[in-house]
């Protein structure tokens, strides 16, 4: 069979090596981007007077027919002709439809810039969809926060009880991280928003193509700065993989929290039966497999980022075939990320908070900071208050008691500043109500944060 470059060679390439280098089985995913890029290129050639109007019209009609066919029937874009890549597929289909005019389409253009355009166009259409998936997952956490109402739980530092917080505050902490993922993707979009066409294989093109007009036609905000740079530039792929890696790190941490908090040891939330699996041996088990998989798959996406950086680092200037490796990394990172977002959302939507259990865990010695603040309010320097309360905690621990068991006399043994009001001041609810800052777990602050998040969700179209 003839390839896009057969003329130079006396014989056919080794069949196994050709298959080894072919990318059709994964870059067919760029089908619609490739056709749209070619439509714009043909129009650019026509405007530059390189293509006769009749040829340009035939190319446009042929490409539109191919696009419609591929969009309505994805099985059309299959490997029945041994095409090397999606670019070869589209060109062969075009020539099959319109004959010689189709053979003029590639004038002044190379696959190096073509694949770079395709991948950038692909991200421009896929990133907003991924952002919607993240927003949907965020929506699930928000609904759970609303179901949790005014339930309290302990917060942890070093995985040791720290201070009481609203369960909603804990859930909104994960929402904050997911919102950063949406913003990070917007930055990736801005980076990818550059038109490579006009760069030729590396040195630019000898035809007077209006690349600015092409950029506008394809929805790009700017044109490439340098033809050599852009043909070998896949920084935007690394940035996408970084965004995906951090996104997966966030999902992994969410998964880890719910694996812990749905365990017998914590019991803060119950996992829906539909989001768990059993053991083939131990009849009592209810395992959080989907959450474990979300946590586990983060390693694979981070691996794509690390692998891609290594692939790029030794390349000489310009296009090198190594760059073809970008697509499998990117597509798998995307699929894994979206799959994990959906799995995490599904698990979260079935979680039931156990307010009695979380409230019980949110009382006791984790109110020590509030006791110190009580003394500070009575005029004691914080360092001294810390000492006093430390000693009190030491005593309570040795006696196996907590603050609520103390009589006024016992409080006073530790400081004359303690008065009758200490009993009402030292409760989990008083602790959160005393918080003053907008980012705190104060009920008013959390209600405002919830309202602001819902507004944000609406702005994301949810
Ligand atoms: N399949 C190639 C890739 O993904 C397309 C560009 C091919 N260019 C070339 N000079 N062989 O990078």
């Amino acid at each position: 069979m003839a390839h896009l470059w057969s003329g130079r060679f006396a014989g056919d390439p080794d069949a196994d090596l050709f298959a080894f280098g072919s990318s059709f089985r994964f870059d067919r995913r760029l089908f619609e981007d490739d056709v749209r890029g070619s439509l714009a290129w043909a129009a650019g050639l026509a405007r530059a007077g390189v293509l006769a109007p009749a040829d340009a019209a035939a190319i446009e009609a042929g490409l539109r027919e191919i696009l419609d066919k591929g969009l309505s029937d994805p099985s059309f874009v299959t490997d029945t002709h041994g095409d090397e890549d999606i670019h070869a597929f589209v060109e062969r289909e075009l020539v099959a439809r319109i004959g010689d005019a189709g053979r003029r389409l590639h004038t002044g253009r190379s696959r190096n810039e073509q694949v770079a355009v395709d991948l950038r166009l692909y991200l421009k259409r896929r990133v907003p969809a991924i952002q919607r998936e993240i927003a949907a997952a965020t929506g699930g956490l928000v609904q759970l926060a609303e179901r949790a109402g005014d339930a309290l739980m302990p917060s942890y530092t070093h995985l040791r009880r720290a201070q009481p917080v609203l369960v909603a505050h804990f859930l909104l902490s994960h929402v904050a991280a997911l919102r950063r993922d949406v913003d990070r993707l917007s930055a990736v979009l801005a980076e990818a928003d550059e038109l490579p066409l006009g760069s030729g294989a590396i040195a630019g093109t000898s035809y007077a193509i209006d690349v600015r007009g092409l950029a506008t036609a394809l929805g790009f905000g700017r044109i490439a700065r340098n033809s050599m740079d852009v043909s070998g530039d896949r920084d935007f792929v690394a940035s996408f993989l970084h965004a995906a890696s951090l996104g997966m790190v966030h999902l992994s941490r969410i998964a880890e929290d719910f694996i812990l908090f749905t365990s017998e040891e914590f019991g803060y939330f119950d996992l829906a039966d539909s989001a768990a699996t059993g053991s083939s041996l131990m009849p009592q088990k209810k395992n959080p497999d989907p959450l474990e998989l979300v946590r586990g798959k983060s390693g694979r996406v981070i691996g794509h980022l690390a692998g891609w950086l290594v692939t790029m680092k030794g390349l000489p200037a310009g296009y090198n075939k190594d760059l073809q490796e970008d697509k499998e990394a990117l597509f798998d990172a995307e699929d894994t990320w979206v799959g994990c977002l959906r799995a995490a959302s599904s698990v979260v939507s079935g979680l039931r908070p156990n307010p009695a259990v979380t409230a019980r865990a949110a009382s006791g010695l984790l109110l020590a900071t509030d006791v110190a603040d009580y003394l500070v309010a009575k005029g004691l320097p914080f360092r001294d208050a810390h000492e006093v309360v430390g000693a009190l905690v030491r005593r309570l621990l040795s006696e196996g008691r907590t603050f609520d068991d103390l009589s006024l006399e016992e409080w006073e043994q530790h400081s004359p500043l303690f008065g009758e009001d200490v009993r009402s001041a030292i409760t989990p609810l008083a602790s959160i109500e005393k918080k003053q800052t907008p980012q705190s777990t104060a009920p008013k602050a959390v209600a405002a944060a919830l309202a602001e998040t819902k507004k944000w969700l609406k702005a994301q179209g949810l």
Side-chain angles (χ1 to χ4, degrees):
M1 127 174 227
H3 301 296
L4 295 176
W5 33 261
S6 297
R8 156 76 176 75
F9 297 94
D12 282 340
D14 176 88
D16 289 339
L17 285 179
F18 182 75
F20 176 68
S22 296
S23 50
F24 184 80
R25 74 178 185 286
F26 49 85
D27 68 15
R28 45 176 292 208
R29 198 153 156 160
L30 300 174
F31 166 74
E32 74 171 88
D33 311 292
D34 196 73
V35 180
R36 289 189 208 285
S38 286
L39 276 165
W41 182 248
L45 284 175
R47 269 199 309 276
V50 179
L51 274 184
D55 285 344
I59 290 174
E60 184 185 341
L63 286 173
R64 290 217 180 274
E65 192 188 316
I66 292 167
L67 183 59
D68 289 347
K69 192 156 187 202
L71 289 182
S72 60
D73 172 18
S75 75
F76 166 59
V77 193
T78 40
D79 187 16
T80 40
H81 292 84
D83 295 309
E84 181 183 355
D85 53 29
I86 189 62
H87 325 297
F89 171 91
V90 173
E91 199 169 311
R92 182 187 44 71
E93 288 290 331
L94 182 65
V95 172
R97 278 172 177 71
I98 65 167
D100 264 359
R103 300 171 63 80
R104 296 185 190 277
L105 168 64
H106 209 56
T107 313
R109 180 178 73 166
S110 85
R111 276 185 301 163
N112 300 352
E113 53 186 337
Q114 200 178 345
V115 73
V117 176
D118 291 4
L119 202 53
R120 287 167 188 266
L121 285 175
Y122 177 82
L123 280 182
K124 280 162 84 69
R125 79 184 156 88
R126 286 301 306 157
V127 162
I130 304 169
Q131 287 175 312
R132 275 194 298 281
E133 298 277 357
I134 301 172
T138 306
L141 287 166
V142 166
Q143 281 168 15
L144 182 56
E146 290 190 305
R147 286 206 296 286
D150 53 9
L152 289 163
M153 68 181 281
S155 60
Y156 296 83
T157 65
H158 311 266
L159 201 55
R160 305 292 189 268
R161 284 183 191 172
Q163 294 187 303
V165 291
L166 284 169
V167 171
H169 192 57
F170 155 67
L171 295 167
L172 286 175
S173 74
H174 285 304
V175 166
L178 294 183
R179 284 177 65 172
R180 283 198 297 279
D181 295 332
V182 172
D183 293 344
R184 197 168 289 106
L185 275 175
S186 296
V188 173
L189 262 191
E191 185 178 354
D193 188 24
E194 179 170 308
L195 177 79
L197 290 176
S199 300
I202 185 162
T205 191
S206 340
Y207 302 90
I209 303 292
D210 169 18
V211 283
R212 287 200 172 73
L214 267 190
T216 309
L218 283 170
F220 283 100
R222 58 181 194 280
I223 60 163
R225 253 188 210 125
N226 180 292
S227 64
M228 287 185 79
D229 169 59
V230 77
S231 61
D233 169 28
R234 294 295 183 279
D235 289 2
F236 65 97
V237 173
S239 296
F240 176 82
L241 292 173
H242 175 250
S245 296
L246 262 181
M248 286 299 300
V249 165
H250 294 150
L251 290 182
S252 181
R253 294 185 67 179
I254 291 171
E256 170 63 10
D257 271 351
F258 287 125
I259 289 167
L260 279 178
F261 291 162
T262 56
S263 67
E264 291 92 341
E265 276 67 19
F266 283 86
Y268 290 175
F269 298 87
D270 286 329
L271 206 52
D273 281 1
S274 58
T277 48
S279 157
S280 59
L281 176 68
M282 300 165 283
Q284 87 286 7
K285 289 300 287 294
K286 182 174 170 185
N287 294 330
D289 287 30
L291 291 174
E292 293 167 83
L293 271 177
V294 168
R295 188 179 56 188
K297 284 177 189 291
S298 60
R300 157 176 175 164
V301 175
I302 294 165
H304 286 316
L305 170 63
W308 181 241
L309 291 172
V310 174
T311 298
M312 287 203 306
K313 85 167 188 64
L315 298 182
Y319 176 84
N320 297 274
K321 182 80 166 183
D322 316 45
L323 294 174
Q324 178 168 291
E325 290 289 302
D326 60 357
K327 282 170 283 301
E328 282 170 293
L330 191 151
F331 296 155
D332 186 67
E334 177 196 354
D335 292 347
T336 306
W337 192 6
V338 168
C340 288
L341 281 164
R342 289 182 187 170
S345 295
S346 165
V347 175
V348 166
S349 71
L351 287 172
R352 285 180 308 275
N354 287 328
V357 179
T358 51
R360 206 176 319 120
S363 65
L365 293 178
L366 83 176
L367 298 174
T369 313
D370 299 288
V371 180
D373 282 338
Y374 172 95
L375 291 174
V376 169
K378 302 269 169 172
L380 199 63
F382 179 75
R383 273 292 145 237
D384 300 333
H386 193 286
E387 281 286 298
V388 169
V389 182
L392 178 53
V393 166
R394 197 155 16 95
R395 167 187 176 175
L396 289 172
L397 282 172
S398 72
E399 295 173 0
R401 303 165 65 197
T402 63
F403 297 118
D404 358 300
D405 312 331
L406 287 169
S407 65
L408 184 55
E409 296 69 54
E410 287 173 312
W411 279 109
E412 284 169 348
Q413 285 164 12
H414 288 267
S415 167
L417 294 172
F418 286 120
E420 189 52 60
D421 59 341
V422 71
R423 295 158 155 282
S424 58
I426 306 306
T427 69
L429 186 59
S431 168
I432 61 164
E433 282 178 339
K434 256 189 310 219
K435 300 291 179 292
Q436 304 278 344
T437 46
Q439 70 269 47
S440 72
T441 191
K444 270 198 196 120
V446 173
L450 208 48
E452 190 273 335
T453 306
K454 283 160 79 176
K455 232 190 191 152
W456 176 83
L457 281 173
K458 254 209 191 105
Q460 309 302 304
L462 290 171

